[in-house]
Amino acid sequence: MQDIIFTDGGSLPTPEGITREWIENAAENRDEDDKLFSIVREAFQRKIDVGLNVPTYPQFRDMIGQFLDIIKDEKNCYEPYVLKEENAKILELEIIDEVAKHYREETGETLEVRVCISGPTDLYLQAFGATGYADAYHILALDIEDFIKQAFVAAKNFKIKIIALDEPSLGINDRIKFSDADIVSALTVASTYARKQGVDMGIHLHSPLKYKLICETPINVIGFEYAATPSYLNLLDKKVLEDSDTYIRLGVSRTDISSLIGIVNETYGVNVWKEKEYMQKIVTDLETPAVVKKRLETAYSALGDRIKYASPDCGLAFWPDQELAFKLLENTAKGINEFNEEKKKQEE
């Protein structure tokens, strides 16, 4: 079997003393680039150091706003919402290129990276709400294609392994007014260019309820939050995945931090926010490498080699601090590595 590849959702808590608002302003105004670039590069390097095979650029900004703000700015567009391709840039990709350059100089290998971009559905809901303007939906999909094209331009010292559309609303939000055909069309527009470049095209869903719809598009990797909701596995038909040549990015460590804190509070009879030393129980007792490995084993018994990537369920932006977030990533890496090593031994 091929090793299951460890990637991540992208987002992280900000470093101590730095707010998300500061990051947003620094990225918009570009008046403190040295400090901003240092924060992003250090976080990206730590992702590599804890064992991510295909790290996502560190995301400290609002996922939707990061893209929609560019799209809504008239100076970036030919007409409302119609982006000029050269303005569809992800600043973080330009920042991490320097880390990737050092990585190649030190290892002789080119770093593979995951690029996450808000999907057309979530962008549309933020911009237009519960309406059904199919033409605007299509335009946003074209804008995403521009961001993808510019991502390849930015990848001077790294290789894009997978691009993922962030579409948590699909399957869980009843405000979506588009038909299945409209959704398939928008996702096809947004994903075709990446597939033509020979990279994996993914989608991040909270729930896989709409997975059969995704299988009708060029998207070939579906990610969902299995660790927190193991029953989601029962929604998938391996044959549907095989027939459409679709793979899974499986969430194998939980990221629902409020629920995890609640478990610690109940188990130990404490208030974690007051007795913060108990916060570590999340990564020493709950989300351990052994738990991660067991989840992978259970899912692999059902889906086999349809599982191509494994990751935390979602991003880690709202975890209490970076140290806890990176410890979860480290535990996830160990669990995935142990699973891969065991499978190799079984096949020898």
Side-chain angles (χ1 to χ4, degrees), residues 200-259:
D200 283 334
M201 187 70 205
I203 189 167
H204 171 65
L205 309 171
H206 283 186
S207 156
L209 281 170
K210 292 278 189 181
Y211 87 98
K212 290 182 180 178
L213 200 64
I214 307 303
C215 291
E216 298 177 25
T217 76
I219 293 168
N220 69 317
V221 179
I222 299 173
F224 66 96
E225 300 188 355
Y226 164 67
T229 314
S231 61
Y232 282 161
L233 194 65
N234 302 328
L235 298 174
L236 301 175
D237 184 334
K238 185 180 178 183
K239 189 173 187 307
V240 171
L241 298 174
E242 289 173 337
D243 289 348
S244 59
D245 199 22
T246 304
Y247 293 90
I248 294 298
R249 190 200 86 171
L250 194 74
V252 292
S253 50
R254 290 178 62 172
T255 56
D256 50 336
I257 188 65
S258 296
S259 297

Side-chain angles (χ1 to χ4, degrees), residues 179-186 213:
S179 67
D180 285 354
D182 286 334
I183 294 171
V184 167
S185 176
L213 200 64

